[in-house]
Amino acid sequence: MIYLNGAFMPIEEARIPVLDRGFIFGDGVYEVIPVYSRRPFRLPEHLLRLQHSLDGIRLRNPHTDSEWGGLLEQIIARNHSDDQYLYLHVTRGVARRDHAFPKGVSPTVFIMSNPLLPPPAELLTTGATAITAEDNRWLRCDIKGISLLPNVLLRQMAIDVGAMETVLLRSGFMTEGAASNIFVVKKDLLLAPPKNHLMLPGITYDVVLELAKEHGITHEVRAIAEHEVRTADELLLTSSTKEIMPITRLDGRQVGDGRPGIMFSRLYRLYQEYKDKVMRGGAINTL
Ligand code: PDD
């Protein structure tokens, strides 16, 4: 069951006009929110980032946070899995094709849910494979926009050579993955690129840095040069749907000793413990 502009319906029945500006221009933003045991994880943070994205494209938020919370709750209840990921999408609505913002048009609001499956155990024990590519996206990568053509093409470069993700480099520095954030580990130091207009401010990225702070893991948030990525002892990938994953091969060469490292094991365990704690406690998570 999905939600579209005020109504709940099976996805097969959902229709949007071809003149929707999401379809014509990619003029919209989205969020992906993980749900564990039927409770959204870090909902306030996701809604804050949604507001940031809407502000970035100058589109008024069609709902208050508590309205969003209510809609998401209903979608969760109407779908089968206990663990889901919610996809929430807002476009500038339906109007005659013209680049200028239309006047007096309601935004299109769409929410769907899919089962959230844990990554295959094999990926966690052997690690994922990645390639690198020049980051050729625009300069507002902090906006979670639905115009994902560059990300799609960059990710496909990895798929075409049997890899899972593309690590992006811009002018000699690492930004993020095609659909994930990337951390670099050198010995026992965890390195994260700074949040700015060149990367999406990941919710999982924030959790990892919070855990590092709380548990005394030495870490630095600073620009990461390409050679640091290439000589890393470990590379970690984070996203709401993949949580934390080790990257053990980059551009056909092994990362460190080619096996998931100690930093990965530690952060993975801390992340699972944190998730369990938040899901049991609830307070941090509700609006
Ligand atoms: N993508 N960077 C990019 C470009 C992303 O698309 C994503 C997530 C992230 C990680 O952010 P978070 O930890 O908040 O999920 C970073 C989602 C999962 C997607 O597009 O499906």
Side-chain angles (χ1 to χ4, degrees), residues 75 89 108 144 146 187 219 246 268 277 284:
I75 281 291
H89 169 125
T108 299
K144 203 163 170 61
I146 61 170
K187 298 212 172 76
H219 60 281
Y268 180 82
K277 191 176 78 186
I284 306 170

Side-chain angles (χ1 to χ4, degrees), residues 11-56:
I11 193 158
E12 295 75 18
E13 287 172 21
R15 299 280 179 274
I16 55 147
V18 289
L19 284 178
D20 192 282
R21 288 179 64 99
F23 185 56
I24 297 287
F25 293 119
D27 185 0
V29 298
Y30 76 107
E31 269 300 320
V32 174
I33 307 170
V35 171
Y36 299 106
S37 308
R38 299 199 171 267
R39 299 171 67 186
F41 182 65
R42 293 233 153 183
L43 182 54
E45 289 82 356
H46 279 281
L47 292 178
L48 199 63
R49 186 171 67 184
L50 173 67
Q51 185 63 55
H52 174 80
S53 297
L54 288 166
D55 291 345

Side-chain angles (χ1 to χ4, degrees), residues 191-256:
L191 287 171
K195 283 200 237 174
N196 57 26
H197 60 291
L198 300 178
M199 66 171 242
L200 186 79
I203 306 298
T204 324
Y205 164 105
D206 279 344
V207 176
V208 166
L209 284 181
E210 282 173 31
L211 290 173
K213 273 188 207 119
E214 196 184 327
H215 296 274
I217 295 173
T218 318
H219 60 281
E220 284 175 20
V221 178
R222 61 160 172 83
I224 301 172
E226 177 174 349
H227 74 86
E228 296 181 286
V229 178
R230 299 208 181 277
T231 57
D233 292 320
E234 294 180 47
L235 293 177
L236 310 178
L237 170 163
T238 66
S239 88
S240 291
T241 46
K242 300 206 162 61
E243 300 185 339
I244 307 181
M245 241 182 223
I247 295 174
T248 48
R249 289 190 80 77
L250 187 70
D251 290 335
R253 284 185 289 274
Q254 63 180 40
V255 177

Side-chain angles (χ1 to χ4, degrees), residues 17 49 81 94 97 99 107 116 132 147 151 156 162 175 209 235 241 266 271:
R49 186 171 67 184
S81 310
V94 180
R97 185 182 181 280
H99 288 61
L116 180 61
T132 58
S147 324
N151 305 64
Q156 190 60 35
T175 53
L209 284 181
L235 293 177
T241 46
R266 187 160 181 211
Y271 192 88

